[in-house]
Amino acid sequence: MALTIDTSTEQKTLTQTALLKIWVPWMGYNMNRRRGSSVPQFCNSPTMLVMVGLPARGKTYISKKLTRYLNWIGVPTKMFNVGQYRREAVQIYKNFEFFKPDNEEAMRIRKACAAAALKDVAAYFTREKGQVAVFDATNTTRERRAVIISFAKERGYKVFFVESICDDPDIIAENIKQVKFGSPDYMDRDTDEAMQDFIQRIECYKATYVPIDDEKDRNLSYIKIFNVGSRYLVNRVQDHIQSRIVYYLMNIHVTPRSIYLSRHGESELNLLGRIGGDSGLSPRGQKYANALATFIKSQKISDLKVWTSHMKRTIQTAEAVGIQYEQWKALNEIDAGVCEELTYEEIQENFPEEFALRDQDKYRYRYPKGESYEDLVHRLEPVIMELERQENVLVVCHQAVMRCLLAYFLDKPADELPYLRCPLHTVLKLTPVAYGCKVEPCFLNIEAVNTHRERPVNVDVDRDPEDALLTVPDHI
Amino acid sequence: MPRELTQNRIQKIWMSSKGDRPAVPRRGGGPHLANPPTVIVMVGLPARGKTYMSKKLTRYLNWIGMPTKVFNVGEYRREAVKNYSSYDFFKPDNENALKIRQQCALAALRDVKSYLTDEGGQVAVFDATNTTRERREMILHFGSENGFKIFFIESVCDDPSVIASNIMEVKVSCPDYQDCNKTDAMLDFQKRIECYKASYQPLDPDQYDRDLSFIKVIDVGRRFLANRIQDHIQSKIVYYLMNIHVQPRAIYLCRHGESTDNLQGRLGGDAGLSPRGKKFAAALARFVEEQQLKDLKVWTSQLCRSIQTAEDLGVPYEQWKALNEIDAGVCEEMTYDEVKEKFPEEFDLRDQDKYYYRYPAGESYQDLVQRVEPVIMELERQENVLVVCHQAVMRCLLAYFLDKSADEMPYLKCPLHTVLKLTPVAYGCKVESISLNVEAVNTHRDRPEEVKKGPGTLLRRNSVTPLTSPESNIKKPRIDDLDDASIQEVPASGLCSPAHLALAGQNLRRSSAGRHDVLQPCQ
């Protein structure tokens, strides 16, 4: 059972929760206030992130990316795209005339859509315990923004505006190509027609666009992003989460590039089915390292950065590639604490309850004297931030670490993260595209053991060993 | 061909043992952070917080391992012109003075160049008003000639109460005004500001300066304008500047109460409090109440002893895993004697270089700094905070606030049952040590007398080797061609080759007891 420190009768008894290994004054203590167990929660009032800007200025791109990042670091965030509400309401989009400022019928519908979205924002905060809502719409008039501000004020939500300003016609044309042609609005049009219509749509907004005013709006909290990040104006950051958001926005870019994720080559401990440790490569692992070098050369990547962990097996792998590499301790494999270097069979034998708890909630489960996936995510956040700043990078890391990074790029939720497939000897090439990330797995044709353990059906602490070990992959 | 790797003995970092293939630049822990060197150029009228930001930024950058130094042109001027008479010196038509001021700036730039090219510096903070385009052009030219990146930090503030408060806080007591009373000093200084105002050309993001990299800090951080952030270090600088504030507040650092492991002399572990430790927790609660703080945040680690200590306070607290004690790896829960017996070599290595030394399968102080950095960032954002942590962690935090080097950090005294109250004041931090009068064991191990320095290579990791912000102007500016005979020529005393740089094969030069500046003048 949970460890109990029985102090004297005057003192409170602390117990350590079984799964998270957090010391609490008594079992059942309400820790719900805080989600992340590694880091204090800094969001007290819910926050609305309100996008502002003409169409094709990257608002949805920023909204989606920010939502993905905040969710990954453990801040429950959801995006509300008013355009989608409009598409629901007006099943068929005819042309830009819908957006003309004098189209009263359309105006009514658009206002109603915004109101419906706001209603859903409120529901998200109150019923679904959300922390951040990203309100993705043009919000280009003072009037519309005033509505949002008063909505938030009534309910005690904080508001932070993100305005994207861009007048570079090339960037705008590129944006339109990347994401608008594929939108449901333009499904049956040819690209020229779509481009013309969209440009007219933008003109409809331009007439009434009033950017956030640095004088009149000086008491609002906002960031203005100019020309895809060449300049930022930040006003009145109120709290931790807004500061993190600003930092993130200032580090992301849209320059095309690729991120290559790979594990180290097969290690000696992998062969024996042992977890953790700091062993070197097996012969097949070394073969992989050489194959990786060949693969990288074939990709003809300009200016590739290579990152490894501090563990021997990743460094040995990177050495073969022959490019300068940086070692990050933050990329070290998850610390399995007392279970380091054990096989799953040994864990089952020595710590059957721990083994079961891990299967119950693999994301939050912390090894005794070790880490959880949740801890890993917090450890990896600076790596993600730097990955966002960089261009072409090859990251040679470990299974659990790679799952965390992959979950960030592919927007996988916490319950899927620990079960993402990251086999040995396979490079994943990630390329940002439109609103997301394209993944290309490249198996380099060197055999290796399988280290992926699926969640068994029976996760009960009283289960039989056979049930527990059912999904353990083969090893020596 | 399998690559042979060896793990260096102190830091436990794997490196290729083949000398022939130096494909690896020996930098662990983080990316190339500031290659080429960066000159941060402060811009703004007097009393806008330039020196405050310069010093604070320098302290932060040094703590995270980025060798940084401030070059304050005012100090060069005070050396050149021994006695400050009045604001007349700063009048725009005072040609003689203008010449001297120009020479001072040039001398400072020469020292910047020397610091960045020959002394292992990565960032130089050029602290002066730099209010004219002409002056900034000169600096930009200097930067491009030498391959330095230039990043401007402009502080703009028109709030008269903020300015008056700044003047009172740091100007009236400065050497220029040592023989003046406060009122006269205030008046003179305000006239000094007027001298600059006429020729002040703020950075212009829309036209003239749109291609420069800079941040404008407006009204003490209410608003920021960041233009063309080029790289990682500029991004971190911007983030840091956006998180600091000048609200008066106090930070209380203490360790958990004495634990049962402490009583046995055991390292690490996750034990609970001893009876005396519990007494301390109760005393801490009384102490906190006496302080009558508004809105105190309490932070603990996730280890039992720290949480038990905070529980008694009766206020909500937040648990940070990042505040956990240093991981002693295979030595966890051993006594020092047991470590000496089981791992004698490790025991010696740790004494050789306690900052860089990483326990096998554990951590080093260097790792701790990286781990604890988000805590520092959040401490900067907060106001009154009590941090209940552990010995090594507290040493890291203290080193940040008190600008202590990597060398000193592992030997800072952080005894049990003692609260350190840190209050920001002027350009630094006031420390009050408050013992709560509950007996406890002593867990402090002094630096051993005889430290045998091995020939081992030490890997300098950019991101985590705190250095004390170097003393400015250990040597005096070389100002040539001036008519005034009172200025003395001082021979350039080159600083030693940087002790903190660890290229393969170079030994770490160690200072003995006393002030442990990493850079020390050679005699």
Side-chain angles (χ1 to χ4, degrees), chain A residues 5 7-8 11-12 14 16 22-23 25 33-34 37-42 214 218 222 230-240 243-244 246-247 250-251 278 286 310-312 315-316 319-320 322-329 366 369-371 375 386 389, chain B residues 1-3 5 7 13-14 16 21 23-25 27-32 205-206 222-232 235-236 238-239 242-243 270 272 278 302-304 307-308 311-312 316-322 333 358 362-363 367 378 381 461:
Chain A
I5 301 268
T7 61
S8 72
Q11 218 84 21
K12 284 209 187 75
L14 286 190
Q16 195 178 45
I22 301 266
W23 290 102
R33 186 165 68 94
R34 189 161 26 84
S37 58
S38 303
V39 172
Q41 195 58 17
F42 292 107
D214 294 329
R218 66 180 175 281
Y222 61 85
S230 89
R231 183 194 309 174
Y232 303 91
L233 185 93
V234 181
N235 197 62
R236 288 193 186 265
V237 169
Q238 298 171 340
D239 59 17
H240 175 96
S243 158
R244 293 284 286 273
V246 166
Y247 185 44
M250 289 175 53
N251 281 320
D278 194 11
Q286 190 55 60
H310 274 208
M311 294 177 148
K312 189 175 185 185
I315 296 164
Q316 275 182 308
E319 275 281 325
I323 300 177
Q324 277 187 2
Y325 56 86
E326 297 284 357
Q327 298 186 20
W328 288 75
K329 190 168 194 279
R366 187 185 277 169
K369 306 201 177 161
E371 293 178 304
D375 295 331
E386 191 56 26
R389 290 201 57 82
Chain B
M1 264 164 310
R3 303 233 175 236
L5 292 184
Q7 199 179 40
I13 294 193
W14 289 103
S16 169
R21 245 330 217 111
V24 179
R27 238 185 292 242
H32 288 276
D206 295 315
R222 189 153 304 165
R223 177 182 295 185
F224 299 89
L225 193 141
N227 198 60
R228 294 195 185 273
I229 306 301
Q230 299 172 331
D231 59 19
H232 174 100
S235 158
K236 277 200 97 119
V238 167
Y239 184 45
M242 286 175 44
N243 282 320
D270 196 8
K278 288 174 206 160
Q302 288 192 342
L303 295 172
C304 184
I307 296 163
Q308 268 187 300
E311 267 290 313
D312 260 16
Y317 54 86
E318 294 281 3
Q319 298 185 16
W320 289 77
K321 189 168 195 282
E333 298 189 65
R358 185 187 280 168
E363 293 178 303
D367 296 327
E378 190 56 27
R381 290 199 57 81
R461 283 156 64 187

Side-chain angles (χ1 to χ4, degrees), chain B residues 405-430:
Chain B
S405 68
D407 206 47
E408 300 173 82
M409 185 196 291
Y411 297 102
L412 293 175
K413 285 211 192 300
C414 295
L416 287 166
H417 299 186
T418 306
V419 181
L420 292 184
K421 178 177 178 180
L422 302 164
T423 321
V425 69
Y427 293 138
C429 224
K430 183 174 84 169

Side-chain angles (χ1 to χ4, degrees), chain A residues 80-108:
Chain A
F80 298 84
N81 177 289
V82 177
Q84 270 168 244
Y85 285 75
R86 188 260 305 156
R87 274 184 280 274
E88 286 277 312
V90 184
Q91 294 292 323
I92 299 170
Y93 172 74
K94 286 224 294 272
N95 59 34
F96 75 91
E97 308 249 337
F98 184 85
F99 292 97
K100 277 172 119 165
D102 55 5
N103 185 339
E104 290 201 14
E105 167 81 23
M107 270 301 185
R108 266 192 313 107

